[in-house]
Amino acid sequence: MSDELTVVLDPATTVAIGRTKGAPQEDRRTPRHALALTAMAAVLAVAFTVFGYQLRPFIHPQPLSQTVDPSPSAVVSGDVPASYLGSWHTTIANSTGHHYRSLVIKQGHIDDDVLILVADGPNYHCVFIAPLTAVSNGGSQLKLGPSAVTSAIPLSACKPAGPSVITLGNKDTLRRAKPENPEDALTYTR
């Protein structure tokens, strides 16, 4: 590295002070180049962070029984019978792979979001919530309103569903069905 000072006396005469003959001239970049490189590095860091987070479920899939277990006792009293409260799980196996469902029912009143459903599959991760609309048949059925998507990876994989009915089978199983299609019910276990 050489210390030099370049003085231009007129367009035809340039004088370099402090430069040794034959010393290579340094590659000096203007501050614009440094600013552009910094901006590009920041954009790449953000892009890798965003895409890396979205790919997390595909790289490190986990069964939902280990990932969702909120406490059903957040509300001490409500309209949901105690036998429904807690975490319920099921797996759907088909030609596209294994699809995990984790259903959490928490205490609440009519119109409160009492259902949290997490759906994980080979190419998606979705989280839904649904409100309680009624408790019928002496507490043997929970009627839920349409679900809403709260998290979706990718966005196109997660669509909200219409109303559903949850029926307790015994203390360790329950069925969730759509009123218009009860034969397609999913059975969950604790």
Side-chain angles (χ1 to χ4, degrees):
M1 181 170 157
S2 65
D3 295 323
E4 74 177 70
L5 173 65
T6 303
V7 179
V8 178
L9 301 174
D10 62 53
T13 310
T14 302
V15 177
I17 301 173
R19 181 172 181 213
T20 29
K21 190 174 186 177
Q25 189 166 353
E26 290 184 38
D27 179 22
R28 296 183 185 232
R29 295 183 185 213
T30 63
R32 280 186 293 157
H33 288 106
L35 182 60
L37 288 174
T38 303
M40 285 176 43
V43 167
L44 286 173
V46 169
F48 283 122
T49 301
V50 169
F51 289 116
Y53 175 74
Q54 288 182 348
L55 292 174
R56 178 190 50 81
F58 307 118
I59 298 169
H60 302 290
Q62 297 178 355
L64 291 176
S65 61
Q66 298 172 3
T67 60
V68 176
D69 194 18
S71 171
S73 61
V75 175
V76 175
S77 65
D79 297 322
V80 179
S83 54
Y84 285 93
L85 300 177
S87 297
W88 304 84
H89 310 282
T90 193
T91 302
I92 304 164
N94 60 28
S95 62
T96 61
H98 285 64
H99 307 268
Y100 303 98
R101 302 289 185 267
S102 181
L103 176 66
V104 175
I105 300 175
K106 61 183 187 168
Q107 190 56 267
H109 298 283
I110 302 297
D111 295 327
D112 288 346
D113 291 325
V114 298
L115 176 122
I116 302 168
L117 173 65
V118 178
D120 274 329
N123 301 318
Y124 63 90
H125 171 79
C126 307
V127 179
F128 304 90
I129 57 172
L132 178 67
T133 58
V135 178
S136 61
N137 295 338
S140 66
Q141 282 189 338
L142 299 182
K143 293 187 178 182
L144 303 172
S147 65
V149 177
T150 63
S151 178
I153 301 172
L155 290 173
S156 61
C158 308
K159 304 289 184 225
S164 61
V165 176
I166 295 180
T167 307
L168 200 59
N170 59 37
K171 68 177 188 164
D172 292 326
T173 64
L174 63 76
R175 290 174 35 102
R176 182 174 182 229
K178 296 176 183 175
E180 72 276 2
N181 203 3
E183 62 276 356
D184 285 341
L186 284 178
T187 299
Y188 292 79
T189 58
R190 284 202 190 267

